[in-house]
């Protein structure tokens, strides 16, 4: 009888965990320092100069179309 109770508690815990994930979702804020998981797609941070250069290159690309 104890086995049935333990299995029932485990099933309830798993169901509640799945429902919680589906309701709240799982998201990554991009701050890998606060997360124990390995980040699959780290966000790059550009300097202001790099951002300016990127905008300039995009503008040139649009002009050549």
């Amino acid at each position: 009888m104890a086995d049935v109770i333990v299995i029932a508690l485990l099933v309830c815990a798993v169901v509640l965990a799945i429902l919680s994930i589906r309701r709240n979702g799982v998201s990554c804020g991009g701050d890998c320092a606060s997360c124990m998981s390995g980040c699959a797609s780290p966000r790059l941070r550009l300097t202001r100069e790099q951002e300016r250069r990127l905008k300039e290159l995009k503008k040139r690309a649009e002009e050549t179309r």
Side-chain angles (χ1 to χ4, degrees):
M1 188 66 181
D3 290 337
V4 173
I5 293 172
V6 170
I7 290 172
L9 288 174
L10 287 174
V11 168
C12 288
V14 169
V15 168
L16 289 174
I18 292 171
L19 290 175
S20 175
I21 290 172
R22 289 184 73 193
R23 186 176 333 131
N24 299 330
V26 176
S27 63
C28 177
D31 184 16
C32 294
S34 67
C35 179
M36 297 307 287
S37 298
C39 195
S41 57
R43 295 184 182 189
L44 297 175
R45 308 259 185 216
L46 300 178
T47 64
R48 290 184 191 255
E49 177 61 27
Q50 290 171 328
E51 289 176 355
R52 185 194 60 75
R53 179 75 175 135
L54 181 61
K55 286 179 186 178
E56 182 180 305
L57 291 172
K58 284 182 180 180
K59 185 178 178 183
R60 283 187 193 172
E62 289 177 4
E63 290 173 355
T64 60
R65 286 184 189 175

Coordinates of all heavy atoms in Angstrom, one line a residue:
M1 N 0.8 -1.2 0.0 CA 0.0 0.0 0.0 C 0.9 1.3 0.0 O 0.5 2.3 -0.6 CB -0.9 0.0 1.2 CG -1.9 1.0 1.3 SD -3.1 0.8 -0.1 CE -4.1 2.2 0.1
A2 N 2.0 1.2 0.7 CA 2.9 2.4 0.7 C 3.4 2.7 -0.7 O 3.6 3.9 -1.0 CB 4.0 2.1 1.7
D3 N 3.7 1.7 -1.5 CA 4.2 1.9 -2.8 C 3.1 2.7 -3.7 O 3.5 3.6 -4.4 CB 4.5 0.6 -3.5 CG 5.7 -0.1 -2.9 OD1 6.5 0.6 -2.3 OD2 5.8 -1.4 -3.1
V4 N 1.9 2.4 -3.5 CA 0.8 3.0 -4.3 C 0.7 4.5 -3.9 O 0.6 5.4 -4.7 CB -0.5 2.3 -4.0 CG1 -1.7 3.1 -4.7 CG2 -0.5 0.9 -4.6
I5 N 0.9 4.8 -2.6 CA 0.8 6.2 -2.1 C 2.0 7.0 -2.6 O 1.9 8.1 -3.1 CB 0.8 6.2 -0.5 CG1 -0.6 5.6 -0.1 CG2 1.0 7.6 0.0 CD1 -0.6 5.4 1.4
V6 N 3.2 6.4 -2.6 CA 4.4 7.1 -3.1 C 4.3 7.3 -4.6 O 4.6 8.4 -5.0 CB 5.7 6.3 -2.7 CG1 6.9 6.8 -3.5 CG2 5.9 6.2 -1.2
I7 N 3.8 6.4 -5.3 CA 3.7 6.5 -6.8 C 2.6 7.6 -7.1 O 2.8 8.5 -7.9 CB 3.3 5.2 -7.4 CG1 4.5 4.3 -7.4 CG2 2.9 5.4 -8.9 CD1 4.3 2.9 -7.9
A8 N 1.5 7.6 -6.3 CA 0.5 8.6 -6.5 C 1.0 10.0 -6.2 O 0.7 11.0 -7.0 CB -0.7 8.3 -5.6
L9 N 1.8 10.2 -5.2 CA 2.4 11.5 -4.9 C 3.4 11.9 -6.0 O 3.4 13.1 -6.3 CB 3.1 11.4 -3.5 CG 2.2 11.3 -2.3 CD1 3.0 11.1 -1.0 CD2 1.4 12.6 -2.2
L10 N 4.2 11.0 -6.5 CA 5.1 11.3 -7.6 C 4.3 11.8 -8.8 O 4.7 12.7 -9.5 CB 6.0 10.2 -7.9 CG 7.1 9.9 -6.8 CD1 7.8 8.6 -7.2 CD2 8.0 11.1 -6.7
V11 N 3.3 11.1 -9.2 CA 2.5 11.4 -10.3 C 1.8 12.8 -10.2 O 1.9 13.6 -11.1 CB 1.4 10.3 -10.6 CG1 0.4 10.8 -11.6 CG2 2.0 9.0 -11.0
C12 N 1.3 13.1 -9.0 CA 0.8 14.4 -8.7 C 1.8 15.5 -8.8 O 1.5 16.5 -9.4 CB 0.1 14.4 -7.3 SG -1.4 13.5 -7.2
A13 N 3.0 15.3 -8.3 CA 4.1 16.2 -8.4 C 4.4 16.5 -9.9 O 4.6 17.7 -10.3 CB 5.3 15.8 -7.6
V14 N 4.6 15.5 -10.7 CA 4.9 15.6 -12.1 C 3.8 16.4 -12.8 O 4.1 17.3 -13.6 CB 5.2 14.2 -12.7 CG1 5.3 14.4 -14.2 CG2 6.4 13.6 -12.2
V15 N 2.6 16.0 -12.6 CA 1.4 16.7 -13.3 C 1.4 18.2 -12.9 O 1.2 19.0 -13.7 CB 0.1 16.0 -12.9 CG1 -1.1 16.8 -13.3 CG2 0.0 14.6 -13.5
L16 N 1.6 18.5 -11.6 CA 1.6 19.9 -11.2 C 2.8 20.6 -11.8 O 2.6 21.8 -12.2 CB 1.7 20.0 -9.7 CG 0.4 19.6 -9.0 CD1 0.6 19.6 -7.4 CD2 -0.8 20.5 -9.3
A17 N 3.9 20.0 -11.9 CA 5.1 20.7 -12.6 C 4.8 20.9 -14.0 O 5.1 22.0 -14.5 CB 6.3 19.8 -12.4
I18 N 4.2 20.0 -14.7 CA 3.9 20.2 -16.1 C 2.9 21.3 -16.3 O 3.0 22.2 -17.2 CB 3.4 18.9 -16.8 CG1 4.6 17.9 -16.9 CG2 2.8 19.1 -18.2 CD1 4.2 16.5 -17.3
L19 N 1.9 21.3 -15.5 CA 0.9 22.4 -15.6 C 1.5 23.7 -15.3 O 1.1 24.7 -16.0 CB -0.3 22.1 -14.6 CG -1.2 20.9 -15.0 CD1 -2.2 20.7 -13.9 CD2 -1.9 21.1 -16.3
S20 N 2.4 23.8 -14.3 CA 3.0 25.1 -14.0 C 3.9 25.6 -15.2 O 3.8 26.8 -15.5 CB 3.9 24.9 -12.8 OG 4.6 26.1 -12.5
I21 N 4.6 24.7 -15.8 CA 5.4 25.1 -17.0 C 4.5 25.5 -18.1 O 4.8 26.5 -18.8 CB 6.3 23.9 -17.4 CG1 7.4 23.7 -16.4 CG2 7.0 24.2 -18.8 CD1 8.2 22.5 -16.6
R22 N 3.5 24.8 -18.4 CA 2.6 25.2 -19.5 C 1.9 26.6 -19.2 O 1.7 27.3 -20.1 CB 1.5 24.1 -19.7 CG 2.1 22.9 -20.3 CD 1.1 21.9 -20.6 NE 0.3 22.3 -21.8 CZ -0.8 21.8 -22.1 NH1 -1.4 20.8 -21.4 NH2 -1.4 22.2 -23.2
R23 N 1.6 26.8 -18.0 CA 0.9 28.1 -17.6 C 1.8 29.3 -17.7 O 1.6 30.3 -18.2 CB 0.3 28.0 -16.2 CG -0.6 29.1 -15.9 CD -1.3 29.0 -14.5 NE -1.5 27.5 -14.2 CZ -1.2 27.0 -13.1 NH1 -0.7 27.7 -12.1 NH2 -1.4 25.7 -12.9
N24 N 3.0 29.1 -17.1 CA 3.9 30.2 -16.9 C 5.0 30.3 -18.1 O 5.6 31.3 -18.3 CB 4.7 30.1 -15.6 CG 3.7 30.2 -14.4 OD1 2.7 30.9 -14.5 ND2 4.1 29.6 -13.3
G25 N 5.2 29.2 -18.7 CA 6.2 29.1 -19.8 C 7.6 29.1 -19.2 O 7.8 29.4 -18.0
V26 N 8.5 28.8 -20.0 CA 9.9 28.8 -19.7 C 10.6 29.9 -20.5 O 10.5 29.9 -21.8 CB 10.6 27.4 -19.9 CG1 12.0 27.5 -19.6 CG2 9.9 26.4 -19.0
S27 N 11.3 30.8 -19.9 CA 11.9 31.8 -20.8 C 13.4 32.1 -20.3 O 13.7 31.7 -19.2 CB 11.2 33.1 -20.7 OG 11.2 33.6 -19.3
C28 N 14.1 32.6 -21.2 CA 15.5 33.0 -20.9 C 15.6 34.5 -20.9 O 15.3 35.1 -22.0 CB 16.4 32.3 -21.8 SG 18.2 32.7 -21.6
G29 N 16.1 35.1 -19.9 CA 16.3 36.6 -19.9 C 17.6 37.0 -20.5 O 17.9 38.2 -20.7
G30 N 18.5 36.0 -20.8 CA 19.7 36.3 -21.5 C 20.9 36.6 -20.5 O 22.0 36.9 -20.9
D31 N 20.6 36.6 -19.2 CA 21.6 36.8 -18.2 C 22.1 35.5 -17.7 O 21.6 34.9 -16.7 CB 21.0 37.6 -17.0 CG 22.0 38.0 -16.0 OD1 23.2 37.9 -16.3 OD2 21.6 38.4 -14.9
C32 N 23.1 34.9 -18.4 CA 23.6 33.6 -18.1 C 24.3 33.5 -16.7 O 24.4 32.5 -16.2 CB 24.6 33.2 -19.2 SG 23.7 32.9 -20.8
A33 N 24.7 34.7 -16.2 CA 25.4 34.7 -14.9 C 24.5 34.3 -13.8 O 24.9 33.7 -12.8 CB 26.0 36.0 -14.6
S34 N 23.2 34.5 -14.0 CA 22.2 34.2 -12.9 C 21.5 32.9 -13.1 O 20.6 32.5 -12.4 CB 21.1 35.3 -12.8 OG 20.4 35.3 -14.0
C35 N 21.9 32.1 -14.2 CA 21.3 30.9 -14.5 C 22.3 29.8 -14.5 O 23.4 29.9 -15.0 CB 20.7 31.0 -16.0 SG 19.9 29.5 -16.5
M36 N 21.9 28.6 -14.0 CA 22.8 27.5 -13.9 C 22.8 26.7 -15.2 O 23.6 25.8 -15.4 CB 22.4 26.6 -12.7 CG 22.5 27.3 -11.4 SD 24.1 28.0 -11.0 CE 25.0 26.6 -10.7
S37 N 21.9 27.0 -16.1 CA 21.8 26.3 -17.4 C 22.8 26.9 -18.4 O 23.0 28.1 -18.4 CB 20.4 26.3 -17.9 OG 19.5 25.7 -17.1
G38 N 23.2 26.1 -19.3 CA 24.1 26.6 -20.4 C 23.1 27.3 -21.4 O 22.1 26.8 -21.8
C39 N 23.5 28.5 -21.8 CA 22.6 29.3 -22.7 C 22.9 28.8 -24.1 O 24.0 28.7 -24.6 CB 23.0 30.7 -22.6 SG 21.7 31.8 -23.3
A40 N 21.8 28.4 -24.8 CA 21.9 27.9 -26.1 C 22.1 29.0 -27.2 O 22.8 28.8 -28.2 CB 20.6 27.2 -26.5
S41 N 21.7 30.2 -26.9 CA 21.9 31.3 -27.8 C 22.1 32.6 -27.1 O 21.3 33.4 -26.8 CB 20.6 31.5 -28.7 OG 19.5 31.7 -27.9
P42 N 23.4 32.8 -26.7 CA 23.7 34.0 -26.0 C 23.5 35.2 -26.8 O 23.7 35.2 -28.0 CB 25.2 33.8 -25.6 CG 25.7 32.8 -26.6 CD 24.6 31.9 -27.0
R43 N 23.1 36.3 -26.2 CA 22.9 37.5 -26.9 C 24.2 38.3 -26.9 O 24.9 38.4 -25.9 CB 21.8 38.4 -26.2 CG 20.5 37.7 -26.2 CD 19.5 38.6 -25.6 NE 18.2 37.9 -25.6 CZ 17.1 38.4 -25.3 NH1 17.0 39.7 -24.9 NH2 16.0 37.7 -25.3
L44 N 24.5 38.9 -28.1 CA 25.7 39.7 -28.2 C 25.4 41.1 -27.9 O 24.3 41.6 -28.2 CB 26.2 39.6 -29.7 CG 26.6 38.3 -30.2 CD1 27.0 38.4 -31.6 CD2 27.8 37.8 -29.4
R45 N 26.3 41.8 -27.2 CA 26.1 43.2 -26.9 C 27.0 44.0 -27.8 O 28.3 43.8 -27.8 CB 26.5 43.4 -25.4 CG 25.8 42.5 -24.5 CD 24.6 43.2 -23.8 NE 24.1 42.3 -22.8 CZ 22.8 42.2 -22.6 NH1 22.0 43.0 -23.2 NH2 22.4 41.4 -21.7
L46 N 26.5 44.9 -28.5 CA 27.3 45.8 -29.4 C 27.6 47.1 -28.7 O 26.7 47.6 -28.0 CB 26.5 46.0 -30.7 CG 26.1 44.8 -31.6 CD1 25.3 45.3 -32.8 CD2 27.3 44.1 -32.0
T47 N 28.7 47.6 -29.0 CA 29.0 49.0 -28.6 C 28.3 50.0 -29.4 O 27.7 49.6 -30.4 CB 30.6 49.2 -28.7 OG1 30.9 49.2 -30.1 CG2 31.4 48.2 -27.9
R48 N 28.2 51.2 -28.9 CA 27.5 52.2 -29.7 C 28.1 52.4 -31.1 O 27.4 52.6 -32.1 CB 27.6 53.6 -28.9 CG 26.7 53.5 -27.7 CD 26.7 54.9 -27.0 NE 26.1 54.8 -25.7 CZ 24.9 55.3 -25.4 NH1 24.2 55.8 -26.4 NH2 24.4 55.2 -24.2
E49 N 29.4 52.3 -31.2 CA 30.1 52.5 -32.5 C 29.7 51.3 -33.4 O 29.5 51.5 -34.6 CB 31.6 52.5 -32.3 CG 32.4 52.5 -33.5 CD 32.2 53.8 -34.4 OE1 31.8 54.8 -33.8 OE2 32.3 53.7 -35.6
Q50 N 29.6 50.1 -32.8 CA 29.2 49.0 -33.7 C 27.8 49.1 -34.1 O 27.5 48.7 -35.2 CB 29.4 47.7 -32.9 CG 30.9 47.3 -32.7 CD 31.1 46.1 -31.7 OE1 30.3 46.0 -30.8 NE2 32.1 45.4 -31.9
E51 N 26.9 49.6 -33.2 CA 25.5 49.8 -33.6 C 25.4 50.8 -34.7 O 24.6 50.6 -35.7 CB 24.7 50.2 -32.4 CG 24.5 49.1 -31.4 CD 23.7 49.6 -30.1 OE1 23.5 50.8 -30.0 OE2 23.4 48.7 -29.3
R52 N 26.2 51.9 -34.6 CA 26.2 52.9 -35.6 C 26.6 52.4 -36.9 O 26.0 52.6 -38.0 CB 27.1 54.1 -35.2 CG 27.0 55.3 -36.2 CD 28.1 56.3 -35.9 NE 29.5 55.7 -36.1 CZ 30.0 55.4 -37.3 NH1 29.4 55.7 -38.4 NH2 31.2 54.9 -37.3
R53 N 27.7 51.6 -36.9 CA 28.2 51.0 -38.1 C 27.2 50.0 -38.7 O 27.1 50.0 -40.0 CB 29.6 50.3 -37.8 CG 30.2 49.6 -38.9 CD 30.8 50.6 -39.9 NE 31.6 49.9 -40.9 CZ 31.5 50.2 -42.2 NH1 30.9 51.3 -42.6 NH2 32.2 49.5 -43.0
L54 N 26.6 49.2 -37.9 CA 25.6 48.3 -38.4 C 24.4 49.0 -39.1 O 24.0 48.6 -40.2 CB 25.1 47.4 -37.3 CG 24.0 46.4 -37.6 CD1 24.6 45.4 -38.6 CD2 23.5 45.7 -36.3
K55 N 23.9 50.1 -38.5 CA 22.9 50.9 -39.1 C 23.3 51.5 -40.5 O 22.6 51.5 -41.5 CB 22.4 52.0 -38.2 CG 21.6 51.6 -37.0 CD 21.2 52.7 -36.1 CE 20.5 52.3 -34.9 NZ 20.2 53.4 -34.0
E56 N 24.6 51.9 -40.5 CA 25.1 52.5 -41.8 C 25.2 51.4 -42.9 O 24.8 51.6 -44.0 CB 26.5 53.0 -41.5 CG 27.2 53.7 -42.7 CD 28.6 54.2 -42.3 OE1 28.7 54.9 -41.3 OE2 29.5 53.8 -43.0
L57 N 25.6 50.2 -42.5 CA 25.7 49.1 -43.5 C 24.3 48.7 -43.9 O 24.1 48.4 -45.1 CB 26.4 47.9 -42.9 CG 27.9 48.1 -42.6 CD1 28.5 46.9 -41.8 CD2 28.7 48.3 -43.9
K58 N 23.3 48.6 -43.0 CA 22.0 48.3 -43.4 C 21.4 49.3 -44.4 O 20.7 49.0 -45.4 CB 21.1 48.2 -42.2 CG 21.3 46.9 -41.4 CD 20.3 46.8 -40.2 CE 20.5 45.6 -39.4 NZ 19.6 45.5 -38.2
K59 N 21.7 50.6 -44.1 CA 21.2 51.7 -45.0 C 21.8 51.5 -46.4 O 21.1 51.6 -47.4 CB 21.5 53.0 -44.4 CG 21.0 54.2 -45.1 CD 21.3 55.5 -44.4 CE 20.8 56.7 -45.2 NZ 21.2 57.9 -44.6
R60 N 23.1 51.3 -46.4 CA 23.7 51.1 -47.7 C 23.2 49.9 -48.5 O 23.0 49.9 -49.7 CB 25.2 50.8 -47.6 CG 26.0 52.1 -47.3 CD 27.5 51.8 -47.3 NE 28.3 52.9 -46.7 CZ 29.5 52.8 -46.5 NH1 30.2 51.7 -46.8 NH2 30.2 53.8 -46.0
A61 N 22.9 48.8 -47.8 CA 22.3 47.6 -48.4 C 20.9 47.9 -49.0 O 20.6 47.4 -50.1 CB 22.2 46.5 -47.4
E62 N 20.1 48.7 -48.3 CA 18.8 49.0 -48.8 C 18.9 50.0 -50.0 O 18.1 49.9 -50.9 CB 18.0 49.7 -47.7 CG 17.6 48.8 -46.6 CD 16.8 49.5 -45.4 OE1 16.6 50.7 -45.5 OE2 16.5 48.8 -44.4
E63 N 19.9 50.8 -50.0 CA 20.0 51.7 -51.1 C 20.4 51.0 -52.4 O 20.1 51.4 -53.5 CB 21.1 52.8 -50.8 CG 20.6 53.8 -49.8 CD 21.7 54.7 -49.3 OE1 22.9 54.6 -49.8 OE2 21.4 55.7 -48.6
T64 N 21.2 49.9 -52.3 CA 21.6 49.1 -53.4 C 20.6 48.2 -54.0 O 20.7 47.7 -55.1 CB 22.9 48.3 -53.1 OG1 22.6 47.4 -52.1 CG2 24.0 49.2 -52.8
R65 N 19.5 48.1 -53.4 CA 18.4 47.2 -53.8 C 17.6 47.8 -55.0 O 17.4 48.7 -55.4 CB 17.4 46.8 -52.7 CG 18.0 45.9 -51.7 CD 17.0 45.5 -50.7 NE 17.6 44.7 -49.7 CZ 17.0 44.3 -48.6 NH1 15.8 44.6 -48.4 NH2 17.6 43.7 -47.7

